[in-house]
């Protein structure tokens, strides 16, 4: 599913269902704009200011909600610090200027349970699969990066881990820095004993993805 844009007078709102993890930030933040369970069109850009919609979109962890401004306001800027957030019993939430499958995005939630039908993106399957993995792994000894932003290449390895190349800070669910890296191989099969990092368990598990 590609991004579908709903046009408004001052801002167009985009939605990509393939990336959505139903965090509900949008329908709880501005339910007059994002109307849940509505028949027909459920996004109404005219119901709030462009700035209000920008705030909701930029707080969408999966990047499913995007926007195109028509009022002369700025587009979403890449983050000052590239972050990989580890969600308790859930996906990896990444905020960086990333290239995934040839597309440049700023936010994404990527599967780490191995069960998603929309790999590399999370589709919520971790809940049904009973996936358990701490959001507070052990902190590694790491040095501050020379640069904390910049482009990141995201490359799911065939039947293997998620390879990330670029400046990244891996942080726990409560914001503690777990590691600082310029390259990482993160588990996406769900079997590593060293989550969020890959330990090669995908081979014995017969992971396909």
């Amino acid at each position: 599913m590609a991004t579908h844009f709903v046009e408004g007078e001052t801002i167009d709102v985009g939605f990509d269902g393939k990336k959505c993890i139903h965090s509900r930030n949008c329908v709880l933040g501005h339910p007059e704009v994002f109307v849940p369970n509505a028949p027909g069109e459920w996004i109404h850009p005219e119901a709030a200011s462009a700035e209000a919609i920008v705030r909701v979109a930029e707080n969408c962890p999966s990047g499913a909600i995007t926007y195109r401004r028509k009022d002369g306001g700025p587009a979403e800027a890449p983050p000052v610090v590239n972050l990989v957030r580890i969600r308790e019993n859930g996906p990896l939430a990444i905020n960086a200027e990333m290239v995934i499958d040839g597309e440049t995005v700023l936010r994404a939630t990527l599967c780490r349970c191995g069960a998603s039908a929309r790999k590399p993106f999370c589709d919520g399957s971790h809940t049904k699969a009973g996936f358990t993995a701490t959001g507070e792994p052990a902190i590694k000894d790491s040095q501050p990066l020379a640069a904390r932003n910049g482009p990141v290449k995201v490359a799911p390895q065939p039947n293997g881990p998620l390879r990330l190349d670029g400046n990244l800070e891996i942080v726990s669910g409560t914001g503690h820095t777990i590691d600082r890296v310029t390259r990482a191989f993160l588990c996406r099969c769900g079997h590593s004993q060293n989550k969020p990092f890959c330990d090669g368990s995908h081979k014995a598990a017969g992971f396909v993805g």
Side-chain angles (χ1 to χ4, degrees):
M1 182 182 295
T3 299
H4 165 65
F5 276 92
V6 180
E7 294 191 6
E9 184 175 344
T10 61
I11 192 168
D12 298 338
V13 180
F15 177 71
D16 185 344
K18 179 181 178 180
K19 298 174 183 175
C20 183
I21 62 166
H22 304 288
S23 66
R24 304 187 72 229
N25 286 6
C26 55
V27 300
L28 294 176
H30 274 282
E32 75 282 14
V33 177
F34 303 93
V35 183
N37 305 315
E41 187 56 68
W42 66 283
I43 299 175
H44 303 278
E46 72 284 353
S49 68
E51 291 296 339
I53 291 173
V54 165
R55 286 193 294 272
V56 170
E58 293 187 0
N59 278 299
C60 173
S62 68
I65 300 289
T66 54
Y67 61 88
R68 299 184 302 212
R69 298 191 71 153
K70 297 177 174 178
D71 61 352
E76 183 174 358
V80 176
V81 179
N82 293 337
L83 293 178
V84 179
R85 292 183 174 89
I86 305 167
R87 294 200 162 202
E88 185 84 12
N89 302 329
L92 300 167
I94 306 179
N95 185 201
E97 185 181 3
M98 331 166 240
V99 177
I100 306 176
D101 293 336
E103 180 186 9
T104 299
V105 298
L106 297 178
R107 288 165 285 114
T109 45
L110 303 184
C111 175
R112 69 175 180 133
C113 74
S116 174
R118 300 199 299 257
K119 298 179 185 72
F121 301 102
C122 171
D123 70 355
S125 292
H126 52 273
T127 302
K128 290 183 179 179
F131 176 67
T132 58
T134 183
E136 302 289 330
I139 296 174
K140 291 190 171 188
D141 185 20
S142 62
Q143 298 301 312
L145 299 171
R148 305 174 77 189
N149 58 2
V152 173
K153 183 178 180 182
V154 179
Q157 304 298 286
N159 304 327
L162 186 71
R163 175 174 170 171
L164 303 174
D165 288 280
N167 302 316
L168 287 163
E169 297 196 18
I170 302 172
V171 301
S172 73
T174 55
H176 293 99
T177 298
I178 303 303
D179 204 359
R180 302 173 179 91
V181 299
T182 56
R183 173 175 293 173
F185 292 88
L186 303 183
C187 176
R188 66 187 191 102
C189 74
H191 292 275
S192 174
Q193 298 301 304
N194 188 35
K195 298 181 185 71
F197 304 98
C198 173
D199 68 356
S201 293
H202 53 273
K203 297 176 183 178
F207 173 67
V208 177

